[in-house]
């Protein structure tokens, strides 16, 4: 296991509560959450986008013109049925 050292910080109480909530949501300690975020910042990385079930999101391709036309036709047809 990696050696760790203690670091004392003074932060705004609201920020501390936010960090606690995020750590709880991610099922980690506040210390682990802060360490992870500091490392990401220092390494220039970005956190992957995730949905509410914490699964990575993959960018979706845009719809083609013909696909949009088909969707519009289906919506128009559904609107007429009402």
């Amino acid at each position: 296991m990696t050696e760790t050292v203690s670091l004392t910080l003074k932060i705004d109480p609201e920020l501390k509560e936010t960090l606690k909530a995020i750590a709880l949501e991610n099922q980690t300690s506040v210390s682990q959450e802060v360490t992870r975020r500091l490392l990401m910042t220092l390494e220039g990385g970005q956190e992957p986008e995730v949905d509410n079930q914490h699964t990575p999101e993959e960018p979706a391709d845009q719809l083609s013109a013909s696909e949009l036309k088909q969707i519009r036709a289906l919506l128009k047809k559904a609107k007429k049925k009402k």
Side-chain angles (χ1 to χ4, degrees), residues 42-56:
L42 294 172
E43 293 169 355
Q46 289 184 331
E47 193 169 5
E49 291 186 31
V50 295
D51 61 16
N52 63 352
Q53 295 180 3
H54 302 287
T55 55

Side-chain angles (χ1 to χ4, degrees), residues 31-43:
S31 179
Q32 289 171 322
E33 188 64 33
V34 170
T35 300
R36 184 181 67 80
R37 289 173 176 270
L38 282 171
L39 286 171
M40 272 186 7
T41 301
L42 294 172
E43 293 169 355

